[in-house]
Amino acid sequence: MPKPLLVITGPTAAGKTAFAIRLAQTLGGEIVSADSMQIYRGMDIGTAKPSMHEMAGIPHHMIDIADPAEPYSVARYVTEAAASVEDIFARGQIPILAGGTGLYIDSLLAGRYFAQSPDDSHLREELIRRYEREGATALWEELETIDPETAARLHPNDKKRVLRSIEVFRLTGKTITAHNEETQAIPPRYEALKIALTAKDRDALYRRIDQRVEAMMESGLQAEVAGLIQNGLSPACTAMQAIGYKEMAKAFSGELSLAEAVESIKQESRRYAKRQLSWLRRDNAIRWICWDKEPDINEAVQISTEFCRAFGIIET
C-alpha cells in the first residue's frame, strides 16, 4: 500500500503557509515545500517565503536549495522532494507537502519518472540552430511525423517542448507519448489526503493578493530584484520569470514605471490564482476548506485534523 501523505494546497495568498505551519505544530509534522520559486536562494520577498520566525521551529524542506542562475526541473524536484518525504517518514514524523505548484505536487504523488536522454549538447545546439534558421513550423512538422500525439498537444511556438520531444526521440528512439504511457502505468508513490484552502468569494481572495503585493513592496521587493540583477543574474533566466521579479526587472530597465510594474504584479497574481483554482478543481479527491473574509486558521486546523484521523494519517 502507498504511504499516506498529507497535502496542503490552494491558490496564492489563500493562507497556505500559516495553515500548514499550524497544522504541523498540531500533528507533529514537517513541511516539504511544493513551490517552484521558493527553491531559489535570495528570492525571498517576491516568493512569500516564510521567515524563520514564521516557521515557528517547524522544519521546512525544499526551500533555498538552488541558485537562481541554475536550471531546475520538475524531475529534479520529484527526486529531491521524495528523498525529503522518505527521510521524514523514517524519523517517525508526518510529512506535509505544502504549496501551490500543482505540477510539482501531482508529479511527486504519482511517482512519475521523467524521460532521460544522454546529454548531447551538439544535438541540442543543432536543433536550436535549425529552429532559428527554418522556423517553428518546420520543427513542429518534424515532430508531427515522429510523434503526432505530442505534436497535437503542442503549439509550434512552444520551442522548449518541441525541441525536447525531438531530442528525446533522436537519442533514445522512444517518443514522449510512449514515455508518458509507461509512467501512467506506474502505481502512485503515495496515497494522498489533499486539502485545499481558498476563499468562498473570489473578490476576497483578490483583495488579499493586492494587499500581499503592497506588503511585498513595503518589505523591499524592488531592492531585492535590483540586487539580483546587479549581482549578475540575467533578467532572461527562468527564476526571473516569476511573478513579481519579471515586472520589477522591467521597472529596473525602464520598460515599465514602478506604478505600472506593481499593477502588473497584482494582475498577473490574480490570473495565476485563477489558473491554480482551475487546475485544482479538476481533482475530485480534494477536500476544500473555504473561508469568508479572511482565513480562519484555527477552524481549518480543526477540520483538517478530523480529515487526518479519518484518513489514517494520525491515530483516532
Side-chain angles (χ1 to χ4, degrees):
M1 287 287 293
K3 296 176 181 176
L5 183 64
L6 176 58
V7 177
I8 301 299
T9 188
T12 188
K16 298 184 298 295
T17 297
F19 174 33
I21 290 169
R22 286 283 300 280
L23 194 57
Q25 291 174 317
T26 301
L27 302 181
E30 299 184 16
I31 292 173
V32 179
S33 173
D35 186 300
S36 63
M37 289 299 148
Q38 290 186 357
I39 60 171
Y40 294 116
R41 292 182 288 269
M43 298 177 67
D44 303 332
I45 298 171
T47 63
K49 197 177 293 178
S51 66
M52 292 299 293
H53 175 72
E54 289 169 328
M55 288 181 183
I58 299 297
H60 280 63
H61 307 264
M62 302 304 293
I63 290 178
D64 289 337
I65 59 169
D67 186 88
E70 67 180 291
Y72 197 93
S73 66
V74 64
R76 179 175 166 188
Y77 174 81
V78 168
T79 299
E80 296 179 355
S84 295
V85 169
E86 292 303 324
D87 175 63
I88 295 167
F89 274 132
R91 289 185 283 103
Q93 301 299 305
I94 297 173
I96 300 175
L97 185 64
T101 303
L103 179 61
Y104 277 18
I105 293 171
D106 290 354
S107 298
L108 176 62
L109 296 180
R112 196 169 296 160
Y113 75 94
F114 296 81
Q116 300 293 323
S117 60
D119 185 12
D120 191 329
S121 58
H122 296 298
L123 174 58
R124 191 171 303 115
E125 291 170 3
E126 174 201 333
L127 290 172
I128 292 172
R129 286 195 299 269
R130 284 189 54 205
Y131 190 95
E132 294 170 350
R133 183 176 65 250
E134 301 174 25
T137 301
L139 272 293
W140 181 86
E141 288 176 346
E142 179 176 327
L143 176 61
E144 188 178 33
T145 64
I146 295 169
D147 185 357
E149 291 185 36
T150 296
R153 291 188 289 104
L154 299 179
H155 191 281
N157 291 335
D158 191 346
K159 177 180 176 180
K160 179 179 178 180
R161 289 181 175 83
V162 168
L163 297 190
R164 172 63 173 161
S165 298
I166 295 173
E167 180 186 30
V168 168
F169 180 77
R170 293 270 293 272
L171 292 173
T172 68
K174 184 180 295 186
T175 66
I176 291 290
T177 296
H179 161 76
N180 289 341
E181 289 173 351
E182 291 174 2
T183 59
Q184 288 168 5
I186 299 173
R189 177 185 276 121
Y190 302 110
E191 183 179 6
L193 168 59
K194 291 176 276 189
I195 301 171
L197 187 66
T198 192
K200 292 179 181 178
D201 179 6
R202 185 76 60 90
D203 288 340
L205 179 63
Y206 288 173
R207 283 194 295 273
R208 278 180 60 88
I209 288 172
D210 290 350
Q211 291 167 359
R212 170 182 277 190
V213 173
E214 291 165 5
M216 286 176 174
M217 293 303 299
E218 292 173 2
S219 297
L221 177 60
Q222 184 180 13
E224 180 174 83
V225 176
L228 291 167
I229 295 172
Q230 289 167 350
N231 287 331
L233 187 64
S234 170
C237 75
T238 299
M240 287 292 283
Q241 303 315 300
I243 297 171
Y245 294 86
K246 177 172 60 178
E247 294 81 6
M248 279 295 111
K250 289 181 179 180
F252 184 80
S253 68
E255 187 176 342
L256 294 176
S257 70
L258 183 59
E260 288 171 336
V262 171
E263 187 55 40
S264 181
I265 295 170
K266 292 178 179 179
Q267 184 179 60
E268 290 304 313
S269 297
R270 292 192 293 266
R271 288 174 177 168
Y272 179 50
K274 186 176 180 180
R275 292 195 300 273
Q276 287 175 302
L277 286 167
S278 295
W279 177 288
L280 293 169
R281 284 174 177 148
R282 301 178 309 168
D283 188 345
N284 294 327
I286 287 178
R287 305 184 189 202
W288 292 87
I289 298 177
C290 301
W291 44 265
D292 289 315
K293 294 181 180 180
E294 290 291 331
D296 186 333
I297 301 302
N298 289 333
E299 182 182 37
V301 168
Q302 183 178 359
I303 295 170
S304 298
T305 301
E306 293 306 314
F307 286 160
C308 289
R309 287 196 180 96
F311 201 80
I313 289 177
I314 59 176
E315 295 181 0
T316 56

